[in-house]
Each structure stands twice: as structure tokens, then as C-alpha cells.
Amino acid sequence: MSDLHTLHVNGIRMAYRTWGEPDAPPLVLLHGRGSDGADWQPVAPALAATHRVYAPDLRGHGASDRPGEYAFEAMRDDVLAFLDALGPEPVVLAGHSMGAVVAYLVAAERSSRLTALVLEEPVPPDPEVPPRAVPSGPEGDETCDWRVIAAVNRWRNAPDPGWWELLATIDCPTLVLAGGSGSHVPQDGIAAIAARVPGARLVTVEAGHLVHGERPADFLAEVSGFLPAPRP
């Protein structure tokens, strides 16, 4: 069972869940769009056997604040502030989908804060074809602020191509997990991300977009085999 806590970071209240012993090496999990930290329940208890696991609700999601500003750079800064609030010890950072985009921006900004990076089905910074519709108001989905969907869809339609260069600056061990043919995220784009990050390892698990939810045992096998050995 996870515990729900809150912190004030970067001008917002961020809710987060925890698993594991407080003095274990920290591992932070970032969920995808429209979800929250509880999305990691299929794998978090197992990861907590060796790590102190933190799963925040990103801004606009779950029990965290909904400030209306949802640029990826704002989410990146939230996570950096969250890491600072946890303490100076470097962390393992893992993200899924939208959370993986936030994770690779965090790593590009401050790789020194990370011992390792796991990108599950990361969205490449290439324009979506055909473009995604951008909602102009609520559409009945209350799992997150509708303005998150609008902001992410705008980004999907016209991402900054300079982010490809940011990926090349990541300086920590990196595992990229692709979901294979059942995923809606372009698999060649995920492979391109892995090729751009220096030394990154690319693994495909035929699970579709939600690898950790559909095939948690395979997710855990790949991640556990990749992570640095916990300190004695």
C-alpha cells in the first residue's frame, strides 16, 4: 500500500505516493498524460524491494494543483524542484509517455541529479501527422485538467526540433523501453531517441503503449537488470 503526501514545489502543490524504506536509494516515477502516480501500482511495490519509490502527480493531474500552465518546461521545473526537496542524493528517474518527455528534459537540464534514466514509450519531438485536434474546453474527462490535453496536443503538432539536440546532452545511463507494434507512438521515433542519447540501450517489449501495466513482469525484468546495484 502506498502513502499519499504533498509538497509545495515551483509554486504549486504536488501530491505524490511512496513505497519502500525511507533510507533506500530514491527512484522517481513520472506517469503519462491523463493518469496519476497510482498508475505505477503494478510495478512500484516490486521496485520498492530495493529503492524508495516516489510517484508524483504531475501538475494538472490527480491531487496536484491545476494552475492552467502546462508547458513541458514547467513540468520539468516542477520535477527538478521535487528532486531538490527530496534531498541531494541522485535518483533513478523513470517516465512513461508524457512523463518520459518530462524525464528526458530533466535529464538534459541536470543529468548530475540522476544515477540512471528509464524512458518508457517516450514521445519523440516530431510533428504529429495528421495533426491532433486541440480541445477548446472540457470534454468530460476529469482525470486531468482539459488544458493539459490542449497543451500536449499543441506540442505534439509543433514540437521544438531543437529538443533532438537536447537528447544528445544527456549524461547518465539510459534505458529506452519501446512497446512494439501495438503502440500508437512511432517506434522509429523511439529508436531515434535511443540513438540520440549517448550510450542508451533500446529494448522492445511487445506490450503496446503501457508496458508497465500490460506486462509488468517484463518491465521489471528489464528495469531491474539495468539499474545500478543498490548501495550496501
Side-chain angles (χ1 to χ4, degrees), residues 121 179-185 187 206-209:
E121 282 280 295
S181 58
S183 172
H184 66 275
V185 177
Q187 298 296 286
E206 287 290 343
H209 186 52

Side-chain angles (χ1 to χ4, degrees), residues 59-84:
R59 62 168 55 204
H61 293 79
S64 290
D65 282 348
R66 301 186 173 195
E69 166 52 44
Y70 300 113
F72 275 108
E73 291 86 351
M75 297 187 210
R76 174 201 65 197
D77 293 346
D78 293 345
V79 173
L80 285 168
F82 181 78
L83 299 186
D84 288 343

Side-chain angles (χ1 to χ4, degrees), residues 7-98:
L7 277 174
H8 282 84
V9 297
N10 197 34
I12 67 165
R13 182 178 57 89
M14 177 176 278
Y16 64 100
R17 291 165 177 81
T18 60
W19 295 259
E21 297 299 322
D23 59 349
L27 188 161
V28 177
L29 303 170
L30 305 180
H31 62 79
R33 188 183 74 177
S35 188
D36 61 23
D39 182 63
W40 294 101
Q41 181 61 39
V43 295
L47 293 170
T50 55
H51 289 79
R52 173 66 164 180
V53 178
Y54 300 87
D57 296 350
L58 296 171
R59 62 168 55 204
H61 293 79
S64 290
D65 282 348
R66 301 186 173 195
E69 166 52 44
Y70 300 113
F72 275 108
E73 291 86 351
M75 297 187 210
R76 174 201 65 197
D77 293 346
D78 293 345
V79 173
L80 285 168
F82 181 78
L83 299 186
D84 288 343
L86 295 183
E89 184 175 3
V91 309
V92 175
L93 182 63
H96 171 243
S97 192
M98 180 194 78

Side-chain angles (χ1 to χ4, degrees), residues 181-229:
S181 58
S183 172
H184 66 275
V185 177
Q187 298 296 286
D188 57 347
I190 294 176
I193 288 175
R196 179 70 65 170
V197 177
R201 176 185 175 193
L202 174 65
V203 175
T204 297
V205 178
E206 287 290 343
H209 186 52
L210 193 65
V211 179
H212 71 272
E214 295 296 328
R215 292 180 60 178
D218 293 318
F219 175 92
L220 288 166
E222 295 296 342
V223 171
S224 298
F226 164 75
L227 292 182

